[in-house]
Amino acid sequence: MDSEEVDEVTRRISVLVEAVRSDVRTIAEGQAALSGNVERLAGKVDGIDQRLDRIEVRLDASEHRLDASEHRFDAFEHRFDAFERRFDAFEKKVAAEFEETRAMIKLSYTELDRRLATLESGYSELRERIERLEESHS
């Protein structure tokens, strides 16, 4: 190779090296911008992470309150079931006593009806006797 060819190759290599340097600068600038974007994004992610932590704390508190409400509701449900059983037993007792009272009234009515019939019969007999006595004295 002669000197002109060497100069040409050297010139071409210099142009290539300058192009590579330019590309490396562009990549470095892009890397710096990307690094800034990543840092801003990391800050936003940290903010979101903190907000999520606060939401999780609030959600845990709500869950505890819901659990407490559920326990109170279960206790109320047990008390209501006990009341319902007592009411059912009371209702059965009242129904039985009502039937018993009805039977006693029926029996009393029958007895009173029998006694009234006896009194009416006795009254009729007495009236007849009085009428016969009055007729015989007249």
Side-chain angles (χ1 to χ4, degrees):
M1 257 196 190
D2 65 5
S3 143
E4 285 182 23
E5 289 177 338
V6 169
D7 286 342
E8 181 64 24
V9 169
T10 304
R11 188 182 62 75
R12 285 186 180 176
I13 289 175
S14 292
V15 169
L16 285 175
V17 167
E18 190 56 39
V20 168
R21 281 184 185 151
S22 175
D23 288 345
V24 167
R25 274 189 224 108
T26 302
I27 290 171
E29 289 169 1
Q31 177 66 27
L34 184 61
S35 178
N37 287 340
V38 167
E39 286 178 20
R40 282 192 302 278
L41 184 60
K44 288 180 180 181
V45 167
D46 287 343
I48 291 171
D49 194 33
Q50 290 171 357
R51 287 176 58 196
L52 284 175
D53 287 345
R54 287 191 306 269
I55 289 170
E56 187 175 6
V57 167
R58 289 172 48 199
L59 186 60
D60 286 345
S62 295
E63 188 175 0
H64 290 303
R65 286 195 314 261
L66 182 62
D67 287 344
S69 295
E70 190 173 342
H71 290 303
R72 288 190 352 231
F73 181 76
D74 287 344
F76 175 76
E77 188 175 26
H78 289 298
R79 287 176 29 202
F80 183 77
D81 288 344
F83 174 75
E84 193 172 25
R85 285 190 299 274
R86 286 176 48 204
F87 182 76
D88 289 344
F90 175 75
E91 192 174 34
K92 287 177 185 175
K93 183 179 177 183
V94 166
E97 287 180 4
F98 179 74
E99 287 301 318
E100 194 176 297
T101 303
R102 180 184 280 170
M104 289 172 64
I105 289 171
K106 195 173 188 181
L107 181 66
S108 294
Y109 177 79
T110 304
E111 178 65 21
L112 285 173
D113 190 46
R114 185 189 62 75
R115 289 174 69 190
L116 184 61
T118 303
L119 284 173
E120 286 175 344
S121 171
Y123 176 75
S124 292
E125 288 175 10
L126 283 174
R127 247 178 102 188
E128 287 175 11
R129 284 177 68 192
I130 289 173
E131 285 176 4
R132 278 192 309 250
L133 282 172
E134 284 179 352
E135 284 178 12
S136 67
H137 285 309
S138 337

